[in-house]
Amino acid sequence: MKRILTIQDISCVGRCSLTVALPIISAMGVETAVLPTAVLSTHTAFTHFTFRDLTEDIPGIEKAWEQEGIRFDAIYSGYLGSARQTELVAECWERFGAASGAENRTGAMNGKAERSDAARALRFVDPAMADNGRLYAGFDEAFVDAMRRLTSRADVIVPNLTEACLLSGISYRESFTDAEYRDLMKRLADHGPESVILTGYANSGTDIGALAYRRDTDEFFSVTGERIPVAYHGTGDIFASVMVGALAIGLDLETAARLAVDYDRLCIQKTAEDENRRWYGVNFEEALPWLVQQMNGDVK
Ligand code: PXL
């Protein structure tokens, strides 16, 4: 069984970060280890919330894992609480993601279905820090710079449009032409990551999904579905979780993106149908049986 380490906060209520990544990646048949970076009462879009930074606990956890010889097949970071924590993610890549043989990575990034056991861990970064043209509460330019440094060393990054603009230095606007999207994606890949997957990509009035770019083949592809005209919090965390789970088991980039787009859409649909829905998060739980079914047959 593959093992992913996910590094992000635990927001006790609000269906995001670890409370989303754990159930989803586990349901995909992948062991999910966690490194919680902070404990919050809810995510930061609520009016009242507590935030306990766990940075001080991380070096001790790392040391104990090192003593145990623990290794991961993929290391996935999401929402991080400080610039220092971006450095700790890179440290985890070195300490728990090293190749068992020579430093090499084959497979998902080269479009092949298999990664050799000797490959180093997949470095997967969701630069969760902004949406709708604005940074989330508590982040500043220094954090954006730190996240840029981290993404430059990643294999795969999954920004939304606001994050992509912040990382590439392009000013945010709601719509881009196809040529502008391509320029944005290439700029991000030029900073380092092998693959860039832009979430919330809308190429027409009716469809929405993801736009992907692979630097090794200089190829773009998009994966979209019909847009459900609602906007819910937490869909980016769901997308990232499915993507990394799928890549960890060796699915190629396009299959992983298709699965993530379709699952996210189903979660949004279930939420829109729910008369008792809450204003935060999506009903990803009700869509889990579909995801498990895909893992048991259709996509493998
Ligand atoms: O969904 C991203 C996310 C994760 N964790 C926390 C957040 C947010 C977005 O607002 O506040 C704490």
Side-chain angles (χ1 to χ4, degrees):
M1 184 182 274
K2 297 293 182 185
R3 179 195 278 160
I4 289 177
L5 169 64
T6 174
I7 309 175
Q8 46 188 331
D9 71 281
I10 182 147
S11 289
C12 301
V13 174
R15 284 168 160 162
C16 67
S17 39
L18 284 185
T19 60
V20 163
L22 256 175
I24 290 179
I25 300 170
S26 298
M28 295 176 78
V30 178
E31 182 186 340
T32 317
V34 301
L35 186 53
T37 54
V39 182
L40 292 87
S41 53
T42 61
H43 61 65
T44 61
F46 284 73
T47 311
H48 309 285
F49 60 88
T50 65
F51 185 106
R52 182 180 172 82
D53 187 359
L54 298 179
T55 305
E56 296 309 308
D57 294 80
I58 295 175
I61 293 172
E62 285 187 26
K63 185 168 177 223
W65 282 352
E66 209 157 53
Q67 286 165 330
E68 295 294 339
I70 289 172
R71 286 278 175 280
F72 302 102
D73 300 296
I75 299 181
Y76 152 38
S77 66
Y79 182 100
L80 302 170
S82 62
R84 170 74 189 125
Q85 288 185 347
T86 65
E87 292 165 6
L88 290 169
V89 170
E91 204 172 283
C92 282
W93 289 344
E94 301 299 332
R95 292 170 82 167
F96 311 110
S100 46
E103 173 86 356
N104 69 327
R105 274 190 50 74
T106 58
M109 294 310 88
N110 298 330
K112 295 180 205 125
E114 296 295 323
R115 282 195 298 125
S116 96
D117 286 340
R120 70 159 170 75
L122 175 71
R123 300 171 174 183
F124 187 100
V125 175
D126 178 2
M129 59 182 171
D131 205 1
N132 301 313
R134 295 180 51 192
L135 281 169
Y136 295 142
F139 291 128
D140 57 14
E141 267 309 309
F143 183 83
V144 175
D145 290 344
M147 186 55 86
R148 192 177 298 114
R149 280 193 293 279
L150 185 68
T151 55
S152 74
R153 299 179 56 200
D155 297 314
V156 181
I157 64 170
V158 289
N160 61 32
L161 185 57
T162 308
E163 291 154 352
C165 288
L166 286 166
L167 291 171
S168 62
I170 291 177
S171 49
Y172 174 80
R173 50 200 184 275
E174 274 172 24
S175 64
F176 277 65
T177 63
D178 267 350
E180 288 169 340
Y181 270 125
R182 283 166 187 256
D183 176 52
L184 175 70
M185 304 285 283
K186 284 198 173 198
R187 278 203 204 197
L188 289 168
D190 282 348
H191 284 300
E194 195 64 46
S195 303
V196 177
I197 296 110
L198 182 76
T199 62
Y201 166 67
N203 61 340
S204 75
T206 56
D207 286 5
I208 191 159
L211 175 66
Y213 174 66
R214 285 179 45 174
R215 190 155 43 84
D216 61 344
T217 54
D218 194 28
E219 275 173 347
F220 287 91
F221 67 84
S222 66
V223 179
T224 59
E226 200 185 331
R227 179 201 283 263
I228 304 170
V230 289
Y232 299 123
H233 192 271
T235 51
D237 297 356
I238 289 170
F239 183 91
S241 299
V242 176
M243 247 346 269
V244 73
L247 292 176
I249 59 172
L251 298 180
D252 63 55
L253 202 67
E254 192 156 353
T255 308
R258 168 52 64 202
L259 192 64
V261 166
D262 289 350
Y263 180 66
D264 232 344
R265 188 173 182 282
L266 187 60
C267 294
I268 293 167
Q269 187 187 321
K270 297 267 182 208
T271 313
E273 286 165 1
D274 178 4
E275 288 174 3
N276 299 316
R277 67 176 167 274
R278 305 192 188 263
W279 61 267
Y280 54 82
V282 289
N283 295 9
F284 75 87
E285 300 90 342
E286 289 176 347
L288 277 176
W290 178 87
L291 185 60
V292 171
Q293 201 184 337
Q294 300 302 302
M295 301 319 294
N296 285 342
D298 297 359
V299 294
K300 276 210 205 163

